[in-house]
């Protein structure tokens, strides 16, 4: 027989505390949630995966991750990046609030909404001004030449000598093209910081993390050159803060 136990004073206090924490949360705005889901699919899922499960240890899970409780810390890491998390300086306050709302309230997370005005006060409004395009001459020819050597040594067996996904080694078929329209389609509207961190963290597929940051930047320069993006006077830097401002897009000319 089940015995009914009256809740003691301690349990009642704990329940009241839980209720007050829940009440302190911002309500979740459904429009922000929908916008956030879209941004997440385009900009975050390639590393943190569609169900927020991540690809540990390179890319942490966001599902059931207590870090997400602190909305300010979440907005900050999205805007500024941290270590191998690329900065999303190209997202405006509403977009940051939206994707923060989405990850804080999906896959079992229930951390509440994120206020657009609070994010705006923190990251400012001058997002568009900082943007540079991959078509603005963001690498040098010399760098692309170095990149070609590294690419042939570590990438072409799967992605093909012409970067078209036609693997040199038949056992390695099934790898995508990494230049031209396919590259742009995969990364459109995302920053080169995301492309860089994805490549650095997961390629070459059989041995991720084996290349230096400089080598990865050189290989990206080569991928841009093969994609007919013009070269310029300055090398593509391996610094995420610089790469976060360069946006992948179709030729605007
Ligand atoms: C290129 C891969 C990549 C992409 C794209 C990416 N992240 Fe991350 N993210 C990381 C890595 C790596 C870390 C761990 C950073 C560290 O080691 O400090 C991280 C950490 C985080 C954290 C903190 C988690 C914790 O436990 O500390 C949050 C929140 C987060 N990312 C959200 C996002 C959101 C939102 C997006 C899309 C707007 C995104 N990330 C896109 C790689 C990525
Ligand atoms: C063993 C085979 C293999 C090697 C070697 C390899 N890759 Fe990959 N690469 C893949 C596969 C498979 C995918 C698709 C992964 C997925 O979709 O989850 C991929 C995906 C990519 C993507 C994303 C493409 C897209 O459209 O989103 C980039 C960029 C990339 N690789 C760059 C590189 C670079 C640069 C190197 C060399 C440093 C390299 N890869 C070496 C197999 C390989």
């Amino acid at each position: 027989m089940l015995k009914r136990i009256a809740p003691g004073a301690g349990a009642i206090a704990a329940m009241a505390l839980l209720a007050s924490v829940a009440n302190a949360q911002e309500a979740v705005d459904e429009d922000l949630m929908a916008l956030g889901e879209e941004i997440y699919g385009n900009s975050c899922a390639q590393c943190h995966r569609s169900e927020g499960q991540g690809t540990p240890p390179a890319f942490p899970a966001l599902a059931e991750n207590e870090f997400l409780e602190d909305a300010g810390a979440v907005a900050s890491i999205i805007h500024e990046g941290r270590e191998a998390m690329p900065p999303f300086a190209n997202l405006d306050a509403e977009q940051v609030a939206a994707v923060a709302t989405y990850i804080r309230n999906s896959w079992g997370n229930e951390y509440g909404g994120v206020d657009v005005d609070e994010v705006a006060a923190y990251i400012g409004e001058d997002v568009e001004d900082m943007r540079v395009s991959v078509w603005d001459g963001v690498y040098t020819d010399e760098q692309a030449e170095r990149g070609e050597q590294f690419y042939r040594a570590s990438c072409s067996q799967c992605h093909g000598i012409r970067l078209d996904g036609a693997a040199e080694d038949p056992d390695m078929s099934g790898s995508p093209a990494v230049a031209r329209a396919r590259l742009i389609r995969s990364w459109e509207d995302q920053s080169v910081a995301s492309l860089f961190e994805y490549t650095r963290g997961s390629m070459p597929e059989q041995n991720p993390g084996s290349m230096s940051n400089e080598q990865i930047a050189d290989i990206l320069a080569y991928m841009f050159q093969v994609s007919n993006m013009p070269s310029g006077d300055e090398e593509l830097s391996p610094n995420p803060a610089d790469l976060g401002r360069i946006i992948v897009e179709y030729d605007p000319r």
Side-chain angles (χ1 to χ4, degrees):
M1 208 180 94
L2 286 175
K3 249 206 230 160
R4 291 192 54 192
I5 302 175
I12 289 173
M15 280 160 66
L17 184 67
L18 272 178
S20 74
V21 169
N23 289 340
Q25 286 180 353
E26 292 269 349
V28 176
D29 179 315
E30 291 307 321
D31 290 341
L32 279 187
M33 213 39 200
L35 176 63
E37 180 171 13
E38 190 185 320
I39 297 170
Y40 185 85
N42 289 334
S43 302
C44 321
Q46 69 268 38
C47 295
H48 295 293
R49 312 312 292 185
S50 57
E51 297 301 316
Q53 74 271 37
T55 8
F59 307 127
L62 300 180
E64 294 172 31
N65 182 335
E66 285 176 6
F67 176 89
L68 272 61
E69 192 166 356
D70 183 341
V74 171
S76 152
I77 194 172
I78 294 170
H79 183 64
E80 288 163 13
R82 191 182 75 204
E83 307 286 338
M85 162 77 187
F88 288 87
N90 55 318
L91 297 182
D92 66 20
E94 185 184 24
Q95 292 168 320
V96 170
V99 73
T101 298
Y102 178 71
I103 63 175
R104 279 163 45 91
N105 298 286
S106 298
W107 324 298
N109 292 343
E110 287 181 358
Y111 294 118
V114 178
D115 188 69
V116 178
D117 292 337
E118 276 173 33
V119 175
Y122 165 68
I123 71 172
E125 310 282 351
D126 55 341
V127 206
E128 290 290 330
D129 300 344
M130 294 169 59
R131 289 169 66 121
V132 176
S133 157
V134 284
W135 298 90
D136 290 339
V138 296
Y139 69 92
T140 68
D141 288 326
E142 206 187 356
Q143 183 179 26
E145 247 170 67
R146 291 198 308 265
E148 180 172 4
Q149 303 309 314
F150 297 132
Y151 179 86
R152 292 201 173 180
S154 305
C155 321
S156 65
Q157 68 269 36
C158 294
H159 292 291
I161 197 85
R162 274 181 284 278
L163 290 70
D164 55 2
E168 295 190 290
D169 178 343
D171 294 342
M172 302 291 189
S173 62
S175 313
V178 288
R180 308 177 194 90
R182 162 70 204 232
L183 178 74
I184 299 172
R185 188 162 16 100
S186 291
W187 298 90
E188 193 186 1
D189 281 339
Q190 299 190 51
S191 78
V192 177
S194 289
L195 171 61
F196 176 89
E197 294 296 358
Y198 172 86
T199 308
R200 193 172 68 121
S202 52
M203 295 291 139
E205 206 192 22
Q206 76 289 15
N207 194 11
S210 59
M211 321 245 351
S212 73
N213 294 352
E214 286 73 19
Q215 288 171 328
I216 295 289
D218 291 353
I219 293 172
L220 295 189
Y222 177 55
M223 286 159 49
F224 294 167
Q225 186 185 57
V226 171
S227 304
N228 289 322
M229 295 162 183
S231 58
D233 301 330
E234 275 187 50
E235 291 201 348
L236 186 70
S237 130
N239 176 348
D242 297 334
L243 297 178
R245 298 204 263 137
I246 309 172
I247 308 301
V248 178
E249 57 181 12
Y250 285 97
D251 190 349
R253 291 166 301 182

